[in-house]
Amino acid sequence: MGCVIIENMDASSLDIMHPTHNWPLRFRLPPWTEAVSQSGRISIRPFLSSPHTRDDQRTPNLEKMMYRYLVLGAGRQGTAAAYDLLRGGGDVHLVDSSEEAVQNALTKLGLAPEKGHVANFREKDAILPLMKDSDGAVFAADYSLNLELTRWAIEARCHTVDYGGNHDVVNDQHLLQVDAEAAGVAIVPDTGLTPGLAGILVAGGVGRLEKPREARIRVGGLPQDPKPPLNYSLIFSVRGLTNEYLEESVVVEKGVKTTRPSMTELETLRFGDREFEAFLTSGGVSTLPETFAGVLDHLDCKTIRYPGHANLITFAFDIGFRSEEIVEMDEHSFVPRAAFEEMLLRSLPHNPPDETLMRVSVKGIHQGKEREVVYEMVDLYDHDLGFTSMQKTTAWPGSLILAMLVEGEIKDRGVLYQERVVDCNLLVDRLAERGVQIDLIERDL
C-alpha cells in the first residue's frame, strides 16, 4: 500500500489518507485497544485493565482489527459500498460475473488484482468459499439472487446486507429467521435509500412522538440539469426503475396494510423555490407496514420527479408498453416492456451530475400538541470522489449497517428489521461524516 499520512488520531480510531487517491480512511479500533503515539510512531495496544484481556495476559490477536468484507456486484452500488468499507479500514474483496466490471472497480478503488474475483453468482461452489472467508457481505447484484445468496450466507455464517427492493424476496428472506439466528448470523435486507435509510428515518420520527399517527416518505434521484421530455436520467437499473412504476405500492391505510396502483395519487411539493411532483411507487416501504401497522394510521412512499414525468410514463404504459406478452409484427417479434426499457436506455442520459431529494414526515401527538418530525436531505453528485448522489445515498447506508453488524454495534442475530435494530441518530451522524447531510426539523402544528 505504501506510505500513509496520519491525519488524526484518538484512542479509538486512526484517520489516514490513502496514498494514491487521497481518500480519507478511518480505522476503528476494537473496544479493548487504544492508539498510542510515541516518538512519531503509532502503536496499537490493549488496555491494561481491559475485561477482554485473557487470564494469561497474552495480547489479543490484533489482526482481528481488520474485518474482511465481500461485495457481490462490482457495479455502481457495489463500488460505492466497497469504497466506504475500505474507508472504515476493511479488507474488501469484490465479485462480479463481468471481468470488465471487476477491473473497473479495482482501478477506481486502487485495489490489487487479488482483491477481485470473477464468478457466476448462481454457482454455490464459487461463492460459498468466499463467504466463509468473510466477516460480512454486501449483495449489490440483482435482487432475484438475494434469497439463494442469503441461504449460502447463513451456511457460511457471514453477516449480510442487501439493496433488495422486492417485497416477495424480502418476505422469503424473513422465513429464514430461525436458521439465521441458530447460526449466529445477522441478515438485514433492503438497506439502500428507499427501501432502507428512509424507513430508519420513519422509525426515528416515530420514536420522537408519544402518539405517532402518519408517516409519508418522499424521495427521488434526479439530474441536476434535466433534459426534456422525461427530465430524468438513468442512475440505476432500468428494470429496477420500471419495477417501481409497474408493481403495486404497499401502503398502510386506517392502520391496515394494503396496496394501491403505482403511478397514482399525484401531488405537488417544493424544495426551496423549486416545484416537483410525487406519486406512489413500489418497493419503498419494505417491512415498515409489518412494524408499524396498528401504530400508524397512514404510511406511504412516493417518488419525486420533475413535473410532467408521471403523465408521459403513464401514457406509454396505457398504450401497451407495460405488457410482457410477445407481439408479432412484420415477421418480427418483441416484448413491449423490454422494448420500452431499451428505448429508455438509448434516450436517457447516463450518470450526469445528479441530486437526491428526500423528505420523511412523521406526524402525531406529543405533550398534548399536534407535532411533525421531518427529516430532509438534498444531496449532490460528488465531483471529488466521482460518485453519484444516488450511489452515496443508496450504497453507504448498507455498508454502514454491515459494519455495525460485524463490529458488534448491532448485536441482534437472525433476519432483522432494520427499522427496529439500527440506531437512527447514529446512522445519520455517520452519513454526515461522509458529507451526506440529513436535517432534522421538529415543529408544532
Side-chain angles (χ1 to χ4, degrees):
M1 182 174 179
C3 295
V4 295
I5 303 170
I6 302 297
E7 291 287 305
N8 182 45
M9 182 190 79
D10 58 35
S12 63
S13 65
L14 297 174
D15 287 348
I16 67 175
M17 295 301 292
H18 189 289
T20 57
H21 290 283
N22 278 340
W23 287 346
L25 305 173
R26 164 156 287 195
F27 287 85
R28 287 198 195 94
L29 309 184
W32 38 265
T33 64
E34 63 181 343
V36 180
S37 176
Q38 293 179 324
S39 302
R41 295 176 63 85
I42 303 297
S43 61
I44 311 299
R45 71 185 187 191
F47 289 126
L48 296 179
S49 59
S50 169
H52 296 272
T53 304
R54 295 168 54 120
D55 292 339
D56 61 8
Q57 296 298 302
R58 286 185 295 172
T59 300
N61 180 3
L62 294 181
E63 290 182 0
K64 290 293 184 182
M65 180 179 71
M66 180 176 283
Y67 297 102
R68 179 163 172 167
Y69 295 101
L70 183 67
V71 178
L72 295 168
R76 295 186 185 102
Q77 307 309 337
T79 301
Y83 161 78
D84 191 53
L85 293 167
L86 285 166
R87 181 187 189 277
D91 174 21
V92 178
H93 289 244
L94 293 109
V95 186
D96 203 283
S97 58
S98 165
E99 184 174 359
E100 181 182 8
V102 170
Q103 186 55 54
N104 288 342
L106 294 177
T107 300
K108 181 173 179 63
L109 297 170
L111 292 177
E114 60 267 23
K115 302 295 185 180
H117 310 268
V118 178
N120 187 328
F121 295 129
R122 300 183 188 278
E123 293 182 358
K124 183 177 181 179
D125 290 345
I127 302 301
L128 185 62
L130 295 171
M131 287 184 171
K132 287 183 176 180
D133 286 340
S134 303
D135 298 294
V138 177
F139 300 165
D142 190 278
Y143 70 77
S144 65
L145 301 164
N146 287 350
L147 181 59
E148 194 64 21
L149 291 174
T150 299
R151 293 192 180 102
W152 300 347
I154 293 171
E155 182 178 343
R157 299 190 174 185
C158 177
H159 304 307
T160 70
V161 298
D162 67 55
Y163 300 127
N166 180 275
H167 291 292
D168 293 336
V169 172
V170 173
N171 289 340
D172 288 341
Q173 287 174 287
H174 276 280
L175 295 178
L176 301 174
Q177 160 65 23
V178 173
D179 293 340
E181 189 172 22
V185 173
I187 308 292
V188 188
D190 278 358
T191 59
L193 174 60
T194 44
L197 173 60
I200 295 168
L201 297 178
V202 167
V206 167
R208 290 177 174 271
L209 298 172
E210 294 170 356
K211 294 181 180 179
R213 186 178 64 253
E214 64 179 55
R216 302 176 190 272
I217 300 168
R218 305 293 182 263
V219 62
L222 299 167
Q224 293 183 34
D225 183 21
K227 305 296 184 186
L230 289 176
N231 295 314
Y232 187 66
S233 60
L234 275 180
I235 47 182
F236 67 107
S237 142
V238 69
R239 177 52 59 122
L241 176 69
T242 58
N243 278 343
E244 288 187 3
Y245 290 170
L246 288 170
E247 295 177 359
E248 290 283 291
S249 179
V250 178
V251 302
V252 172
E253 195 60 58
K254 297 181 180 178
V256 178
K257 178 182 176 181
T258 186
T259 61
R260 295 278 188 273
S262 288
M263 304 295 298
T264 63
E265 301 186 24
L266 191 68
E267 67 181 53
T268 299
L269 72 165
R270 303 186 72 85
F271 279 76
D273 61 356
R274 298 185 296 163
E275 183 174 287
F276 301 91
E277 66 183 22
F279 46 86
L280 289 174
T281 48
S282 72
V285 298
S286 189
T287 53
L288 292 178
E290 286 73 26
T291 296
F292 294 119
V295 176
L296 295 171
D297 294 332
H298 180 88
L299 167 70
D300 67 27
C301 179
K302 294 186 178 182
T303 291
I304 299 171
R305 294 287 184 259
Y306 287 103
H309 181 92
N311 284 338
L312 291 171
I313 297 293
T314 300
F315 170 75
F317 289 161
D318 285 349
I319 64 172
F321 281 101
R322 69 170 60 237
S323 173
E324 297 195 69
E325 295 183 5
I326 296 175
V327 173
E328 302 288 346
M329 187 178 68
D330 295 334
E331 300 182 355
H332 298 283
S333 62
F334 68 97
V335 177
R337 179 179 176 181
F340 180 64
E341 291 171 346
E342 180 63 26
M343 296 312 296
L344 291 177
L345 280 170
R346 295 186 183 194
S347 62
L348 292 177
H350 291 239
N351 291 329
D354 68 326
E355 63 178 327
T356 306
L357 309 179
M358 180 173 64
R359 180 176 295 146
V360 174
S361 166
V362 184
K363 294 180 181 179
I365 303 295
H366 192 72
Q367 297 181 347
K369 297 180 180 179
E370 287 279 343
R371 191 164 180 80
E372 181 181 26
V373 179
V374 179
Y375 293 94
E376 189 163 296
M377 176 186 78
V378 178
D379 184 76
L380 302 178
Y381 181 95
D382 191 317
H383 290 275
D384 292 331
L385 294 179
F387 285 134
T388 67
S389 174
M390 185 57 66
Q391 282 179 286
K392 296 183 294 172
T393 57
T394 300
W396 291 355
S399 57
L400 284 166
I401 292 169
L402 182 60
M404 292 177 191
L405 298 174
V406 169
E407 296 175 13
E409 290 178 291
I410 297 174
K411 301 185 184 301
D412 304 70
R413 295 298 179 254
V415 184
L416 307 179
Y417 295 79
Q418 60 188 316
E419 65 271 13
R420 303 180 192 182
V421 301
V422 178
D423 184 320
C424 175
N425 294 331
L426 181 60
L427 184 60
V428 168
D429 287 346
R430 291 199 175 156
L431 285 169
E433 291 173 1
R434 289 150 173 78
V436 177
Q437 184 67 41
I438 301 171
D439 296 323
L440 170 63
I441 304 156
E442 299 182 86
R443 56 194 172 213
D444 292 333
L445 301 176

